Amino acid sequence: MVRTLLLAGGKSSRMGKDKAMIEVDGECCISRVVNALYSSNEKPVRIAVSNTEYIKKYSEVIDSKINIEWVVDENQYAGPIESITENLEDPEFLKEDFIQLSTVDVPWVTNDFFNCLKSSIKKEDDVLIPTDGENIHPLLSLIKPEVVLNKLREGSKKPLSIQFCEINYSLYQGDLKILKNVNYPQDLE
């Protein structure tokens, strides 16, 4: 079983409203992503939020049958690298072979996508990074927790996309439509 880390602690400043709660095809983004993670047999789903208020808010739109493990970022709005590092320092996460990263702003991601990542990772990979052929998507990577934690502990200010490419990695060719981020209102069109 692969554990998951769903990052839901951002400000959504480019969007102008909480991306997790934006509805796509009648369902909130956070619910869509959680369902995809859960359906690919990746449970419990750990969701990192910026403060406790979001736990209640998001719980109202996520299927109550799904096992959710809520964590609150120690450093509110510090960014994804800090949230990933903080969560990987959990001894339970370090026991896992792999951790599936995800964000709430990829509402078209599917359980098939996550299943394909699991079946595509090679023994020598520390990270399997999805790409759409134009960009890589490190926040949807399948990672070896101990190796990635050691890399992030180096304290580099480089973007995650560069840091992940400095350890043993492979790329997974994904569908541009599935990997599309929702950052601005026009991204929903």
Side-chain angles (χ1 to χ4, degrees):
M1 179 169 63
V2 173
R3 292 290 306 271
T4 64
L5 174 58
L6 176 57
L7 303 172
K11 289 183 184 179
S12 301
S13 53
R14 291 177 286 184
M15 179 59 75
K17 59 183 175 182
D18 186 357
K19 290 191 277 188
M21 297 302 287
I22 292 173
E23 285 194 15
V24 173
D25 298 329
E27 188 177 8
C28 292
C29 286
I30 193 166
S31 177
R32 294 174 66 91
V33 176
V34 167
N35 287 338
L37 288 166
Y38 184 76
S39 296
S40 68
N41 198 25
E42 303 188 33
K43 46 191 172 186
V45 177
R46 178 181 282 199
I47 303 177
V49 296
S50 59
N51 65 61
T52 56
E53 295 169 19
Y54 289 105
I55 296 172
K56 181 175 181 347
K57 182 178 178 181
Y58 297 159
S59 292
E60 292 174 2
V61 297
I62 295 172
D63 185 342
S64 61
K65 294 178 188 130
I66 296 176
N67 185 4
I68 303 294
E69 179 184 358
W70 296 100
V71 293
V72 178
D73 293 332
E74 284 183 27
N75 298 311
Q76 189 178 39
Y77 306 124
I81 292 174
E82 289 76 8
S83 184
I84 293 167
T85 303
E86 185 179 312
N87 280 283
L88 292 181
E89 288 174 339
D90 177 340
E92 291 302 311
F93 259 38
L94 286 177
K95 291 178 186 175
E96 300 296 330
D97 293 330
F98 294 99
I99 303 291
Q100 176 64 63
L101 300 178
S102 190
T103 58
V104 297
D105 62 357
V106 286
W108 297 283
V109 73
T110 64
N111 63 327
D112 287 339
F113 167 79
F114 293 122
N115 287 332
C116 286
L117 282 178
K118 286 189 295 190
S119 65
S120 298
I121 196 154
K122 296 179 228 137
K123 192 178 215 175
E124 64 272 12
D125 290 335
D126 296 325
V127 182
L128 181 58
I129 310 168
T131 179
D132 57 28
E134 295 176 20
N135 299 299
I136 63 171
H137 299 271
L139 293 176
L140 286 172
S141 294
L142 188 58
I143 64 171
K144 283 187 181 171
E146 188 170 356
V147 175
V148 170
L149 177 59
N150 289 335
K151 179 64 182 168
L152 297 178
R153 280 183 173 160
E154 292 174 7
S156 172
K157 298 298 179 194
K158 295 176 187 175
L160 199 58
S161 56
I162 293 173
Q163 291 189 62
F164 278 7
C165 291
E166 292 175 342
I167 54 181
N168 293 329
Y169 76 96
S170 290
L171 295 176
Y172 172 78
Q173 181 66 49
D175 185 334
L176 178 61
K177 293 175 188 167
I178 289 175
L179 297 174
K180 183 179 176 183
N181 291 66
V182 174
N183 290 311
Y184 301 96
Q186 60 266 28
D187 294 338
L188 293 165
E189 297 169 359

